Amino acid sequence: MTKGKVTVLGSNGHIGNAAMIAFRDAGRSVTGLGRTNRKPVSGTTFVAGDADDVDVVRAAIADADVVVHALHLRYDQWGNGRSEKQLQVVIDALGNSGKTLLFPGTIYNYRAGDRTISPATRQSAEAPRGEIRMRLETMLREASSAGKFQTIILRGGDFFGPGNRGEWFEAAMLMDVAKGKIYHMGELTTRHSWAYLPDLSRAFVVLAEKRDTLGKFENFHFAGHWVSHGQMMGAIQTALPGKVAVSPLQWWMIRAVGLFNPVMRDIYRMRYLWANEMELVDPRLDAILGPDFGTPFEEAVAATVEELVGAKKAAA
């Protein structure tokens, strides 16, 4: 017997796939929606469909108590109202259902000078992508304030975890690991906020289970791992089987590629996230999750690195 039904919109994405696993392991009946089932999760159900179609989304979430919004667009596709249009489909599908929507928030909603960022910190985005995220959260706040459904935002730092591709670990920091090189994204002494995906997804599960005690619109900040770039390099070196050289990422190359590649152009615009210390804090969420909730930092990095290196060897 399960504890209720959950639908994950965008089950192939980073947070979507991790949420599928976390809710399944928590005893929920889980359904994933995606165009294709690229990342199948045993013990769950998959529905193929277009999340831009409100009727498809409405059917996928019909029996769900909880809906996880894990839909995402490529960085260069966020503008021109496309992100808002994608979210509006979900809002329309939820209607006046009273269901709970779990929404992954980003640190983009805040400025480089916001050294310590709590849910009470005023949002004032540094870049256009942050302004878009602020508008999305305003849409959710207005819908929830109108009594349509409950929204729980859980904001995390940069994702990492076993099995993830197309993020900083694989695409930047370890892109040349086969050549004996790894790269750090900012000054070695500068600290950065990281979210280990299995932990972040388990936090979503905890909040879903406590949803009846929460407000109609909630904004939580997941502290995750607050470590320096040097600490991250050291943990990666420890996890790797052989010695590697540590070098700074050549941001000028990303800027140059960005002259003709819109994705790289947007990534370069977000460099401030790596050059400035922006720490997510939330004592209220810490109390809800309890002590020793997260996976120890070195263990989390090792699991991520070992899976990635193993996959690279298998593909060679």
Side-chain angles (χ1 to χ4, degrees):
M1 186 174 181
T2 64
K3 299 178 180 179
K5 296 182 178 181
V6 177
T7 296
V8 178
L9 305 177
S11 57
N12 292 312
H14 295 160
I15 189 64
N17 185 251
M20 294 279 288
I21 295 170
F23 277 101
R24 177 206 62 189
D25 291 350
R28 295 291 186 119
S29 174
V30 184
T31 296
L33 174 68
R35 294 182 185 275
T36 61
N37 196 14
R38 290 187 293 104
K39 288 186 174 182
V41 177
S42 62
T44 68
T45 302
F46 176 77
V47 176
D50 184 355
D52 290 333
D53 187 326
V54 66
D55 291 328
V56 169
V57 177
R58 187 180 290 118
I61 68 176
D63 296 331
D65 309 297
V66 174
V67 178
V68 180
H69 186 295
L71 301 170
H72 62 91
L73 296 168
R74 240 177 36 211
Y75 285 163
D76 61 314
Q77 297 177 347
W78 283 33
N80 300 318
R82 188 167 178 181
S83 292
E84 292 90 335
K85 182 179 178 181
Q86 183 186 66
L87 180 59
Q88 189 62 53
V89 170
V90 177
I91 291 174
D92 291 344
L94 283 163
N96 296 310
S97 63
K99 297 178 187 292
T100 296
L101 179 69
L102 302 179
F103 189 82
T106 72
I107 204 168
Y108 306 159
N109 303 48
Y110 300 93
R111 304 193 68 81
D114 292 333
R115 167 63 182 78
T116 302
I117 304 169
S118 76
T121 302
R122 178 177 177 273
Q123 294 189 5
S124 176
E126 188 83 22
R129 199 186 310 168
E131 294 170 356
I132 292 170
R133 295 295 300 195
M134 288 172 61
R135 288 198 293 272
L136 298 183
E137 292 187 19
T138 296
M139 291 169 65
L140 292 173
R141 180 187 292 275
E142 290 175 349
S144 294
S145 296
K148 294 177 178 295
F149 52 84
Q150 180 186 44
T151 297
I152 300 175
I153 295 174
L154 181 58
R155 197 178 314 280
D158 276 295
F159 298 160
F160 74 107
N164 290 295
R165 299 293 182 266
E167 31 76 347
W168 293 108
F169 260 77
E170 182 230 7
M173 292 160 58
L174 272 74
M175 63 179 175
D176 287 335
V177 67
K179 301 177 183 178
K181 299 178 182 178
I182 59 175
Y183 302 100
H184 53 95
M185 310 295 293
E187 295 294 332
L188 291 175
T189 56
T190 300
R191 290 168 293 185
H192 189 74
S193 181
W194 293 93
Y196 185 54
L197 274 174
D199 291 345
L200 183 68
S201 298
R202 288 193 300 112
F204 267 123
V205 172
V206 172
L207 292 175
E209 291 176 345
K210 295 182 179 295
R211 66 188 184 279
D212 290 342
T213 67
L214 302 176
K216 295 298 293 183
F217 182 87
E218 295 280 9
N219 174 28
F220 292 100
H221 288 190
F222 183 74
H225 295 292
W226 173 244
V227 296
S228 70
H229 296 301
Q231 287 175 288
M232 178 59 79
M233 291 294 100
I236 292 174
Q237 286 178 296
T238 299
L240 289 169
K243 292 184 177 181
V244 291
V246 176
S247 302
L249 183 73
Q250 300 301 306
W251 282 97
W252 68 267
M253 294 179 63
I254 293 178
R255 184 180 185 183
V257 174
L259 294 176
F260 55 87
N261 183 312
V263 175
M264 290 296 105
R265 184 163 57 247
D266 270 7
I267 287 176
Y268 184 79
R269 286 173 179 165
M270 305 304 286
R271 184 183 179 184
Y272 73 91
L273 295 169
W274 304 95
N276 295 275
E277 294 192 335
M278 301 171 67
E279 181 184 10
L280 292 170
V281 298
D282 190 346
R284 181 185 175 209
L285 179 61
D286 293 343
I288 291 173
L289 298 180
D292 303 319
F293 175 83
T295 304
F297 173 63
E298 290 79 6
E299 182 181 329
V301 172
T304 304
V305 171
E306 289 168 5
E307 187 279 331
L308 178 58
V309 171
K312 286 180 177 292
K313 286 183 178 179

